[in-house]
Structures are given as C-alpha cells and as structure tokens.
Amino acid sequence: MKKIEIVQGLLAANNATASGNRALLDRHRCLAVNIMSAPGAGKTSVVLRTIAGLGGSVRTGVIEGDVASTVDAEKVQDAARAVVQINTKGMPESCALVADMVDAALRRMPLDRLDIVLIENVGNLICPSEFDLGEHLKVVIASTPEGDDKPLKYPLIFADADAVIINKLDLLPYVDFDMDRFTHAVRDLNARAPFFPLSCKTGEGVAEWVAWLRDRMHNA
Amino acid sequence: MKKIEIVQGLLAANNATASGNRALLDRHRCLAVNIMSAPGAGKTSVVLRTIAGLGGSVRTGVIEGDVASTVDAEKVQDAARAVVQINTKGMPESCALVADMVDAALRRMPLDRLDIVLIENVGNLICPSEFDLGEHLKVVIASTPEGDDKPLKYPLIFADADAVIINKLDLLPYVDFDMDRFTHAVRDLNARAPFFPLSCKTGEGVAEWVAWLRDRMHNA
C-alpha cells in the first residue's frame, strides 16, 4: 500500500496548491483556462487564435508546458502580454503540468495587469486529467486527423472538460473522422460541454469559441 | 527522497520483468516490437499494414495497450493470429504499458506459434519512453498533421528509437510539416534510426518499412 498512500498524499498536496492558485487568480479577477490535447492537435494555434479573437482590450497571459524546448513560448511571445515556459523534463511528473509548477509560473506573471491566463498543458490525453492546476475552465482540443474514437480511449479527460474544441476542420475532406460519432462518444461521458468545431488554419468557427470564452470572463 | 527511492525501485523491478519477457520471447524465437506514438498518429493502421505486408507466412501476434476500450483489438483481430487487449485504466501506471502488463499478455499468447509480436503502446509520447517492456525494437510513429517540432518537445522517445515512421504522407500537401526540419531534429537526438515516410491510407512507403522489419526478423 505504500505507493498508493504516497500517490494519494501527492494528489492531496496538489489539490491544496491548486486551491491556492485559484484564490490568487480570483483576487486578481483573472480567469484561468487549462488547455489540453494530444501532441500536435493545435494547442498553440488555438492560443494564438484566442488571443487575436479576444482583441487588444483583453490582457492575456500564457503559461506554456512542455517536456522540453521553448518552441511554443517563442511562438506566442509577441501576441501575449506575459509568457512563462515550464519544462517538465526531469521533474517528478514530466507528462503533465501540476499545481506547483503553475504556482511558480503565476508568481512570475503581472496578474494585476492580466484578465485571462491560458495554460497550455503538456501534449498528452492521460496525465493532465489527474491534476487540478487551479484553473477555472478545462478545455480539451481534439483534431480531425486523430480520428473520432479518442473519447473511447481517453475517457477521463473528455468527461471532465468544460468545453471541447475540434480543430483542423480544414482537413475533414482528407481524413476519416465522423463528427456525429465523435460528439456522441463525448456526450456519453459528458452531458454539458459545448462543442466548437473550428480551423485555426482558416479561422472558421473561431469566433463562436471566442464568444463563449468571453462570456465566461464576464460571468467569472 | 522517499518518492524518488520508490520510483527507482519500481523501475528496477520493471527492468527485471522486461529482461524475463525478452528471455521468454528469445526462447520462442519471437521478435517483439514496441510501437509508440501520440494518440491518433496511426499505430493501429501501421500494425494492420505491417501484418498484411509481412504476409501469411509470418505469424503475427498483437498486444493492444489503451487506457480504455477494445476498439483497437477489434480492428486487428481478423488480421493477427493472436490479440490481447490491455486496459491501463486504474492501474498504477495508466499512461504507458509496463513490463508486468506485457508479461501477463505474453502468457496468454501461443508464442510457439508466433514469429513476431507487435506491441501497440498507449498513445503518448512521454510515459512509454520510461519503461522497457522486453521488446527487441522500439519504433516511434510521427504523423504529418502533428507538425515537425515534436522531436524538440518529446526528445527521449525519439532518442531511443530503433526506427522512426512518418505516417500520413498523403496529408503532406494540406499541413505544415517540413520533412527536412523533422529529420534533422531527430538526427540531433539519434544518429542511427532509419526513417520510413509512408501513408497507411495509400500504402506508399509501406514496403520499405516492412522490408526493414523482415530483415530484423532474420537477424534476430
């Protein structure tokens, strides 16, 4: 039982840190969004489209989580008001962000001058579902080339999502992806999350996602 | 230090079990291939193309690893001589196969009547790189819609690969994927792994991959 006890102790400690993160964000009236997906589904592209869609009046910070590299932070640094890159390589958890990492990142951000923090999690459909980061919203991105069976194989991350983005709609004519099969599979796990089919390449559908997110900011 | 000691103990135990798996496979003159990729890169499609390419004279077993569902086992059951599905949901490690799971699966397979076992790992570019399963070859599949920067972000899995497959070549005209940038990024991590660009949809490039794998069987 030793390992299980330690794991539960770690998760309890993570939840406490996550609650602290959420309280810190709330004090600054800053909405935090945990963006999760498989590698290459388009998290960074969604972040860039979201910042552009929200417009200059919404001040956006970004936390970039990756095992290694600063590729994503470099891509968003011109668009965001503040960017912190977290590299998880060599950390006890390398397959997901945990609340401690986000705590450290938030302390390096000018929260009193930000309205929203987009947290781009490590590319992974499994580990990120286990760790509360202190976010207000969990968003999962699926992309059409991955296939429509991902909710069956990675149920937890879809069950807990507050919104599901289906990216790379522009590739739909070239791949085997049945939108009805995908949305039904998610609905079996999650009765409430809205779907946002979109293409970061063409911009199709981005406005609907951004409008929904803007509503969440006003209701926060 | 307690957590780190326990993790190291688990990895040592995993390596011992993996060595046992490899000895068992060697006694049966059975080559085992650990196939790893992000979700939706096409592991199951590569398995199906590989079985068809090797032809009826090569007797193939498949171990399917997924967090949940039997979707992949159902897809390959007609093509393979033996299939075992492993669901990792609720196990101490859910984000990758470990040697214990493969040990249990191998004991359910008719190894004396198999020439090769294809082990489809859980869809993940991080956790599977940490666990030796007792395989003889590690193969990583990247797919063109994921983008060419994945080796920078998930270096370990590419560094340890014996071969790198680049799937979904048919989507190359529609996505931003620079083949030279991708292969250079892998070469910086791994001097020896051959590249197999292919399309499971059209069949382009599959023969080269299958020929290489067939050579490994003869040299095993």
Side-chain angles (χ1 to χ4, degrees):
Chain A
M1 290 300 292
K2 201 174 232 177
K3 195 201 171 196
I4 290 172
E5 280 167 28
I6 288 176
V7 170
Q8 288 178 340
L10 289 171
L11 285 177
N14 185 77
N15 287 345
T17 307
S19 296
N21 291 348
R22 200 173 283 111
L24 176 70
L25 289 156
D26 287 343
R27 275 201 302 280
H28 290 90
R29 306 178 64 82
C30 193
L31 186 80
V33 186
N34 182 1
I35 302 175
M36 299 172 282
S37 81
K43 287 181 294 304
T44 311
S45 301
V46 166
V47 165
L48 287 169
R49 280 285 188 181
T50 303
I51 296 172
L54 288 171
S57 64
V58 176
R59 301 163 301 175
T60 308
V62 178
I63 297 174
E64 289 288 351
D66 280 296
V67 177
S69 92
T70 55
V71 171
D72 289 345
E74 288 161 27
K75 281 186 189 163
V76 303
Q77 67 182 354
D78 290 339
R81 297 288 180 106
V83 183
V84 176
Q85 174 84 50
I86 300 172
N87 281 158
T88 62
K89 193 177 173 184
M91 295 202 189
E93 292 297 334
S94 63
C95 60
L97 294 179
V98 300
D100 266 349
M101 302 175 191
V102 172
D103 172 42
L106 290 175
R107 288 173 195 284
R108 291 167 55 194
M109 303 186 97
L111 292 181
D112 48 346
R113 286 178 279 129
L114 295 177
D115 303 303
I116 186 167
V117 176
L118 304 176
I119 306 171
E120 183 180 332
N121 217 313
V122 178
N124 191 318
L125 288 179
I126 307 163
C127 314
S129 61
E130 295 174 26
F131 300 100
D132 183 5
L133 305 179
E135 74 277 9
H136 300 94
L137 296 172
K138 291 179 194 289
V139 177
V140 179
I141 306 171
S143 65
T144 59
E146 291 168 54
D148 50 45
D149 59 357
K150 293 302 157 288
L152 303 174
K153 295 182 176 183
Y154 308 93
L156 189 54
I157 205 160
F158 288 97
D160 289 347
D162 295 299
V164 177
I165 289 175
I166 303 145
N167 190 23
K168 307 195 188 182
L169 213 53
D170 53 288
L171 294 179
L172 208 46
Y174 314 112
V175 297
D176 297 320
F177 183 92
D178 183 321
M179 190 66 78
D180 282 344
R181 198 181 301 159
F182 177 84
T183 52
H184 281 112
V186 175
R187 271 291 164 266
D188 284 344
L189 300 161
N190 183 324
R192 67 195 167 79
F195 294 102
F196 298 103
L198 56 81
S199 165
C200 286
K201 192 164 192 176
T202 68
E204 180 187 357
V206 169
E208 288 80 358
W209 148 249
V210 171
W212 180 86
L213 184 62
R214 194 186 287 274
D215 272 356
R216 300 287 91 58
M217 294 180 65
H218 294 153
N219 298 331
Chain B
M1 291 299 291
K2 201 174 236 180
K3 194 201 171 196
I4 289 171
E5 279 167 30
I6 289 177
V7 169
Q8 287 177 340
L10 289 171
L11 285 177
N14 185 77
N15 287 344
T17 307
S19 296
N21 290 349
R22 200 173 284 111
L24 176 69
L25 289 156
D26 287 343
R27 275 201 302 282
H28 290 89
R29 306 180 63 83
C30 193
L31 187 80
V33 186
N34 182 0
I35 302 175
M36 298 172 283
S37 82
K43 289 182 294 304
T44 311
S45 301
V46 166
V47 165
L48 287 169
R49 280 285 188 183
T50 302
I51 296 172
L54 289 170
S57 64
V58 176
R59 300 164 301 174
T60 308
V62 178
I63 297 174
E64 290 289 349
D66 279 296
V67 177
S69 91
T70 55
V71 172
D72 288 346
E74 287 161 28
K75 280 187 191 161
V76 304
Q77 66 182 355
D78 290 338
R81 299 286 180 107
V83 184
V84 175
Q85 173 84 50
I86 300 172
N87 281 158
T88 63
K89 193 176 173 184
M91 295 202 189
E93 292 297 335
S94 63
C95 60
L97 293 180
V98 300
D100 266 350
M101 302 174 192
V102 172
D103 173 39
L106 291 175
R107 287 173 196 283
R108 291 167 56 195
M109 303 187 96
L111 292 181
D112 48 347
R113 287 178 280 130
L114 295 177
D115 303 305
I116 187 167
V117 175
L118 304 176
I119 305 170
E120 184 179 331
N121 216 314
V122 178
N124 192 316
L125 287 180
I126 307 162
C127 314
S129 61
E130 295 174 27
F131 299 100
D132 183 5
L133 305 181
E135 74 277 7
H136 300 96
L137 297 172
K138 290 179 195 287
V139 176
V140 179
I141 306 171
S143 65
T144 60
E146 291 168 52
D148 50 45
D149 60 356
K150 293 303 157 287
L152 303 174
K153 295 181 175 184
Y154 308 92
L156 189 53
I157 205 160
F158 288 97
D160 289 347
D162 296 298
V164 177
I165 290 175
I166 303 145
N167 190 23
K168 307 195 188 182
L169 213 53
D170 52 288
L171 294 178
L172 208 46
Y174 314 112
V175 298
D176 297 321
F177 183 92
D178 184 320
M179 190 66 77
D180 281 345
R181 198 182 301 159
F182 177 84
T183 52
H184 281 112
V186 175
R187 270 290 165 267
D188 284 345
L189 301 161
N190 183 325
R192 68 196 166 81
F195 294 102
F196 297 103
L198 56 81
S199 165
C200 286
K201 192 164 191 175
T202 67
E204 181 186 358
V206 170
E208 289 79 357
W209 149 249
V210 171
W212 179 86
L213 184 61
R214 194 185 288 274
D215 273 355
R216 300 288 91 58
M217 293 181 66
H218 294 153
N219 297 332

